[in-house]
Amino acid sequence: MNQRNLDGNSIIIRLEMTTKDIKFGEVASVISEAGGDIIAIDVISTNQDVSVRDLTVAFTDAQDNSKIIEGVRQLKGVSIINVSDRTFLLHLGGKIEVTPKTPIQNREDLSRVYTPDVARVCSAISEEPGKAFSLTIKRNTVAVVSDGSAVLGLGNIGPRAAMPVMEGKAMLFKQFAGVDAFPICLDTQDTEEIIRTVKAISPGFGGINLEDISSPRCFEIERRLNEELDIPVFHDDQHGTAVVLYAGLINALKLVGKSIEDVKIVVCGIGAAGVACSNILLSAGASRLIGVDREGAIVRTQTYENEVWSDYAARTNPELETGSLRDVIRGADVFIGLSRGNLLTREDVQTMAEDPIVFAMANPVPEIMPALVEDIVAVMATGRSDYPNQINNVLCFPGMFRAVLDCRATEINEEMKLAAAQAIASAITDEERTRYYIIPSVFNDKVVKSMRSRVIEAAVKTGVARRIPREQAREGGES
């Protein structure tokens, strides 16, 4: 299948063709020349004079879309009746809805779910607040909270424009882990106001998933909410990325026969995700980790206005290396990119240690394109779906929240993140593992099951679980 088909950009063109003036091959040729691929043809009506057809056309970008439509419009004997963008059609009215778990068919049903009988349930919760977990949606519900300030690939587009992303995230929660999630986009980018708002809405939720909130505010928001709430708060852009990254690195290191305790790791881009990825690697035993940002290597001999960087410097770069990325990548076993596209060169990779591992995760353009170093890297991973080994947060947050909801955890700690990474990595057996397959598919149903079990075990061991499910391997939150 052509790559355009995989990218998901497509339109449906309904056109009317006068058969004496034009042949379908001419239409197909114009569409192809404009950058489109016809992937489906549906005949709506036809007679000897006129044919009406729906053409589903895949394309790469918006410019191709415009060229395709204009090219067809210029053809003699062709009239465009309608153009429908399949992605926009999918979003009409939003992508999620709320449905009742039981029908209300008579007065008795009405009295049980609402007045007067519901008052007894309210009173029970008032007397014992913990019953909210068993008697309301709190037991299986997560708030997906964003201010739209750092939407992946789009930047600060605001809360309304961020809503489709948060709806999509809610769909993934439900699809992969049976978790009910609500998108909550806040019309403020004030740190204190976000904290107050999330705290105010928290009684109805069993967990908070922070999403697409810009750095460095995201650090303070997550820290404060974790301190002041008794339910887990998880900034997925930081920790979801970190968990999946470490899962991939576990398998990559196995392939090259190296241990995390011994390898030199260079992390490029010390923002929210870079700090979280470094933290999980340090927790896993990494001892030779160096962070690099625009100003060069982060080192404890320097003074930083950014408190996060000061703390980072104190815990990394033990050999006090200085200089640019090009300087510190020499002899590195692992490169982890969380910065910007085309930052790394083939020559840089050639200076790395034998069997280099490169995780170039900038999106949509990696720090270096895989084709440039295919012959010299042992393992390559990116953040893109059109290359092998995609580092995708979807592998983490559904299973993570399935676990913490089921054990009613009060927080998500580092031990639970390490357990989640081990679970993802273990979904690939020794026999299956190759340089092109170190990360399981998001559709691998073993991932959520394994993560649920391992994360709950870690939560229990670290004392943050308020209950132990009767069956560790059971899905769906029912116990």
Side-chain angles (χ1 to χ4, degrees):
M1 182 181 288
N2 190 295
Q3 184 57 48
R4 290 192 188 99
N5 300 349
L6 299 176
D7 289 340
N9 296 322
S10 62
I11 54 175
I12 300 174
I13 307 173
R14 176 164 291 188
L15 51 81
E16 183 180 84
M17 298 171 50
T18 305
T19 53
K20 68 181 180 63
D21 293 325
I22 192 165
K23 302 297 183 185
F24 180 76
E26 297 175 64
V27 178
S29 177
V30 166
I31 290 173
S32 178
E33 289 173 4
D37 291 326
I38 298 174
I39 57 176
I41 304 170
D42 296 296
V43 178
I44 305 305
S45 64
T46 186
N47 57 45
Q48 64 180 25
D49 299 319
V50 176
S51 174
V52 178
R53 307 185 188 193
D54 279 350
L55 308 184
T56 302
V57 181
F59 59 91
T60 303
D61 56 41
Q63 288 186 341
D64 288 344
N65 182 5
S66 301
K67 290 177 185 177
I68 292 164
I69 296 169
E70 188 57 31
V72 173
R73 200 186 304 278
Q74 295 298 321
L75 289 170
K76 181 183 177 181
V78 175
S79 297
I80 294 179
I81 300 172
N82 187 52
V83 178
S84 302
D85 184 313
R86 297 178 71 191
T87 298
F88 275 81
L89 286 173
L90 184 147
H91 283 77
L92 285 177
K95 303 190 293 287
I96 59 176
E97 64 182 5
V98 176
T99 58
K101 293 172 70 174
T102 183
I104 304 171
Q105 297 175 325
N106 51 50
R107 288 182 178 275
E108 183 181 7
D109 293 338
L110 180 60
S111 68
R112 286 180 177 173
V113 303
Y114 197 50
T115 183
D117 288 3
V118 73
R120 294 192 293 117
V121 182
C122 295
S123 296
I125 296 172
S126 178
E127 294 169 5
E128 191 177 335
K131 286 187 175 180
F133 279 103
S134 58
L135 296 175
T136 74
I137 62 172
K138 185 181 182 75
R139 69 181 296 173
N140 194 49
T141 306
V142 170
V144 181
V145 179
S146 180
D147 62 0
S149 61
V151 178
L152 182 63
L154 298 172
N156 188 356
I157 59 175
R160 291 170 184 82
M163 193 68 176
V165 178
M166 304 312 132
E167 286 185 17
K169 187 126 188 179
M171 294 176 72
L172 298 173
F173 266 111
K174 190 68 173 180
Q175 172 78 20
F176 292 114
V179 172
D180 295 318
F182 287 87
I184 298 176
C185 293
L186 304 178
D187 194 11
T188 178
Q189 294 184 3
D190 179 81
T191 296
E192 292 300 325
E193 190 170 2
I194 290 172
I195 292 169
R196 284 195 303 269
T197 303
V198 174
K199 287 175 63 178
I201 66 171
S202 65
F205 298 97
I208 305 293
N209 187 126
L210 300 176
E211 187 77 11
D212 294 345
I213 298 174
S214 62
S215 175
R217 295 178 307 117
C218 59
F219 295 114
E220 176 69 5
I221 291 169
E222 184 188 39
R223 182 187 67 79
R224 287 270 303 283
L225 288 173
N226 266 317
E227 289 175 356
E228 298 174 28
L229 292 177
D230 66 347
I231 56 175
V233 180
F234 188 77
H235 186 206
D236 188 49
D237 299 321
Q238 293 184 61
H239 309 299
T241 301
V243 167
V244 182
L245 161 77
Y246 178 44
L249 189 58
I250 289 171
N251 282 326
L253 290 172
K254 286 180 179 178
L255 281 172
V256 298
K258 298 179 182 181
S259 69
I260 195 167
E261 292 82 6
D262 299 328
V263 292
K264 177 182 176 181
I265 303 171
V266 172
V267 180
C268 182
I270 311 304
V275 170
C277 288
S278 298
N279 286 343
I280 198 169
L281 297 180
L282 291 169
S283 297
S287 60
R288 301 174 61 209
L289 187 148
I290 303 170
V292 183
D293 213 276
R294 292 178 181 178
E295 299 175 18
I298 296 176
V299 59
R300 71 195 66 172
T301 55
Q302 296 290 326
T303 301
Y304 301 102
E305 292 183 8
N306 186 336
E307 292 182 8
V308 173
W309 279 19
S310 296
D311 174 70
Y312 187 94
R315 299 181 293 114
T316 59
N317 198 353
E319 297 171 8
L320 305 181
E321 294 191 42
T322 59
S324 66
L325 172 62
R326 174 159 292 181
D327 296 321
V328 299
I329 201 172
R330 294 180 179 275
D333 300 275
V334 179
F335 169 82
I336 296 169
L338 296 147
S339 50
R340 56 185 173 85
N342 299 320
L343 196 65
L344 195 66
T345 68
R346 177 179 171 87
E347 291 70 30
D348 294 331
V349 177
Q350 287 176 325
T351 69
M352 294 177 67
E354 185 179 358
D355 293 327
I357 296 168
V358 173
F359 282 31
M361 299 188 293
N363 246 327
V365 180
E367 284 80 3
I368 189 167
M369 297 301 290
L372 294 177
V373 288
E374 168 75 17
D375 59 325
I376 56 176
V377 298
V379 182
M380 179 87 189
T382 71
R384 291 173 51 142
S385 61
D386 52 348
Y387 292 109
N389 301 328
Q390 183 191 21
I391 306 301
N392 192 331
N393 294 7
V394 180
L395 279 164
C396 177
F397 65 81
M400 178 67 79
F401 275 95
R402 179 71 280 148
V404 300
L405 289 170
D406 287 354
C407 71
R408 298 181 189 170
T410 56
E411 64 178 50
I412 296 172
N413 56 36
E414 209 66 18
E415 291 83 354
M416 294 159 72
K417 296 170 198 171
L418 291 169
Q422 293 285 353
I424 295 170
S426 68
I428 295 177
T429 65
D430 292 342
E431 293 74 22
E432 294 172 325
R433 190 185 306 112
T434 71
R435 65 181 297 208
Y436 300 112
Y437 188 48
I438 59 168
I439 291 287
S441 163
V442 297
F443 298 102
N444 186 327
D445 59 5
K446 293 190 294 185
V447 173
V448 170
K449 293 178 181 178
S450 177
M451 191 184 300
R452 177 185 183 273
S453 177
R454 293 195 187 204
V455 171
I456 289 175
E457 182 179 356
V460 172
K461 285 183 178 178
T462 55
V464 300
R466 283 178 282 206
R467 68 186 295 275
I468 303 175
R470 287 194 296 267
E471 297 179 29
Q472 281 276 339
R474 193 173 172 189
E475 284 188 289
E478 300 295 328
S479 60

